[in-house]
Amino acid sequence: MIQPFTSDPLQWVAEDGRPIRELPARFTPGVLRDLYREMVRAREFDKKLVTLLRQGRTTFYAQASGMEATQVGLARSIRAGHDWVWPYYRDHALALALGVPMLDLVSQCLGTNSDLCRGRQMPHHFGAARQNLVSISSSIASQVPPAAGNAMAQKYLGVDEITVCTFGDGATSEGDWHAGMNMAGAAQAPCLFVCENNQWAISTNLRAQTASENIHIKAKAYGMPGYYVDGNDIVAVIEVLSQVAEQVRAGNGPALVECLTYRIGSHSNADADAEKNYRTREEVNAWLARDPIVRVERLLDHLGAPVSAEERADLISAAHREVDEAVLKAEASGQPDWRIMFEDVYADLPVHLREQAAFLRAEQEGVQA
């Protein structure tokens, strides 16, 4: 049984790939390789989307390189398509690992006709009904109160689903975060709160935004256990989150898990140039040495099942082909027509909207003429 409120992050695999406690039997070389592939896929997706951004083919993107173990590990710790997930805007690795097709993510980022949102949502703010993945919002911590309400509904209905709510460390400085946590704690709702602590809220370091020694200790104020895990150790992430998820599912109320990780890239394209002004190259390099993907490689090497340079190159090439094919399909579907702004809301369009649609139609016909 894992212990809450530890002073140091729980860890199973050291940075050099050496197990520091007994490796659970389920983490066979085959399973670890599957996790490794999923993490490499997410990393290469990240790189390719940054390229698309620089080419002007999308207008916003929030990188998650360095955070793959936390997100893939979370996906492997819950019941995909059964539990409900309220994500934050950096969770594409989580979405991919939950089974959201890459075409759907790429289409949403490009805003094409193949986008499930039909181009109406801000880029990189996806949702997926089949995976119970609620649409992302840019407003920091705005997903926390409705996630608590979602969990309260699950408790009321008596279902065995849980709600998973993710957020960055910066969200814990928002009033919405405290309101949602308090509501979930008071109602003893089945909600698993996961803080992906990458230590920077845009340009604000964790130490500048809270006097708390860490994030998970804040759970005490809301009557729930808090757990602290090395978010770059995918074995530790899965061990902790899977156990805590089942405790929540068993009716023990909500819980908070803090995954200590790091975003290697900028906050988003909005601070790509400013990023070097608020953190040092030495700091970034120190965390590059703790790369979660490299740690799995080292673990597999320790277990006598090393990843060869050829295998690594093949995985990267396969991920690039998958993204490139998704981009081609998305762009081939074309751009959404202006008429969709009047669709999907009303069964019978109100008079004032019919008038506006007629006005725009006449305007468009005039332009074309």
Side-chain angles (χ1 to χ4, degrees):
M1 183 67 69
I2 57 172
Q3 294 299 312
F5 302 115
T6 55
S7 57
D8 296 313
L10 294 167
Q11 193 178 62
W12 262 256
V13 180
E15 293 168 16
D16 62 2
R18 176 180 49 84
I20 56 177
R21 56 173 90 190
E22 185 177 356
L23 205 64
R26 60 175 164 161
F27 290 101
T28 63
V31 168
L32 290 168
R33 238 178 185 78
D34 178 59
L35 294 170
Y36 174 75
R37 291 189 196 100
E38 196 68 67
M39 293 164 71
V40 170
R41 181 174 178 245
R43 175 72 60 86
E44 297 309 314
F45 176 89
D46 209 48
K47 293 177 180 177
K48 292 290 258 182
L49 264 291
V50 170
T51 299
L52 290 176
L53 179 71
R54 291 171 177 165
Q55 292 171 342
R57 293 155 87 178
T58 186
T59 57
F60 178 83
Y61 186 71
Q63 299 176 57
S65 288
M67 301 170 64
E68 294 88 357
T70 290
Q71 295 187 20
V72 173
L74 172 57
R76 292 290 182 268
S77 302
I78 62 174
R79 301 181 189 177
H82 179 76
D83 297 327
W84 284 74
V85 181
W86 291 73
Y88 92 124
Y89 51 73
R90 210 177 295 279
D91 275 340
H92 63 264
L94 171 61
L96 287 169
L98 285 172
V100 178
M102 189 174 285
L103 176 60
D104 290 355
L105 295 185
V106 169
S107 298
Q108 200 285 316
C109 287
L110 300 183
T112 61
N113 275 323
S114 53
D115 172 22
L116 299 177
C117 300
R118 305 180 77 188
R120 296 186 178 107
Q121 175 63 298
M122 181 176 175
H124 204 227
H125 286 60
F126 44 82
R130 187 170 296 175
Q131 284 77 24
N132 291 340
L133 186 74
V134 180
S135 183
I136 291 169
S137 170
S138 275
S139 301
I140 307 300
S142 63
Q143 74 274 26
V144 182
N150 197 97
M152 290 167 67
Q154 290 168 329
K155 181 179 180 180
Y156 175 80
L157 294 170
V159 295
D160 72 341
E161 305 165 357
I162 67 170
T163 295
V164 177
C165 179
T166 67
F167 42 84
D169 48 289
T172 67
S173 296
E174 294 286 343
D176 276 352
W177 185 82
H178 295 276
M181 293 284 289
N182 186 61
M183 186 163 59
Q188 286 294 285
C191 196
L192 172 56
F193 296 102
V194 181
C195 178
E196 301 179 32
N197 180 5
N198 63 32
Q199 303 172 64
W200 285 95
I202 307 184
S203 58
T204 304
N205 183 267
L206 182 66
R207 294 277 64 86
Q209 62 171 305
T210 181
S212 297
E213 57 192 279
N214 46 51
I215 298 297
H216 72 280
I217 199 170
K218 296 176 186 282
K220 289 186 176 182
Y222 306 110
M224 65 181 77
Y227 300 90
Y228 197 20
V229 61
D230 181 346
N232 283 10
D233 175 359
I234 197 165
V235 174
V237 171
I238 293 174
E239 278 298 292
V240 172
L241 284 173
S242 59
Q243 289 186 46
V244 176
E246 291 313 305
Q247 290 173 21
V248 170
R249 196 184 310 280
N252 295 304
L256 169 63
V257 178
E258 175 187 358
C259 297
L260 183 63
T261 183
Y262 195 81
R263 63 167 168 83
I264 298 302
S266 59
H267 167 75
S268 71
N269 51 296
D271 77 328
D273 293 324
E275 177 259 333
K276 58 180 172 288
N277 295 325
Y278 62 77
R279 61 182 188 179
T280 65
R281 191 70 245 172
E282 290 75 20
E283 177 185 313
V284 175
N285 287 339
W287 279 94
L288 279 170
R290 304 173 189 174
D291 190 319
I293 295 175
V294 173
R295 193 179 307 195
V296 177
E297 286 185 355
R298 291 170 176 166
L299 174 59
L300 284 166
D301 189 54
H302 177 84
L303 296 175
V307 176
S308 67
E310 182 180 7
E311 181 182 359
R312 186 186 307 109
D314 287 346
L315 286 174
I316 292 172
S317 295
H320 288 184
R321 286 194 302 273
E322 187 181 9
V323 180
D324 290 343
E325 288 171 6
V327 171
L328 289 173
K329 287 181 181 178
E331 292 185 331
S333 72
Q335 293 297 312
D337 187 83
W338 62 268
R339 295 172 182 82
I340 70 162
M341 74 173 77
F342 298 101
E343 299 174 3
D344 299 331
V345 177
Y346 295 99
D348 297 307
L349 204 63
V351 173
H352 72 285
L353 290 181
R354 289 203 298 271
E355 292 173 349
Q356 290 177 29
F359 175 82
L360 281 173
R361 188 179 301 109
E363 186 179 69
Q364 292 297 315
E365 289 172 353
V367 170
Q368 291 170 3

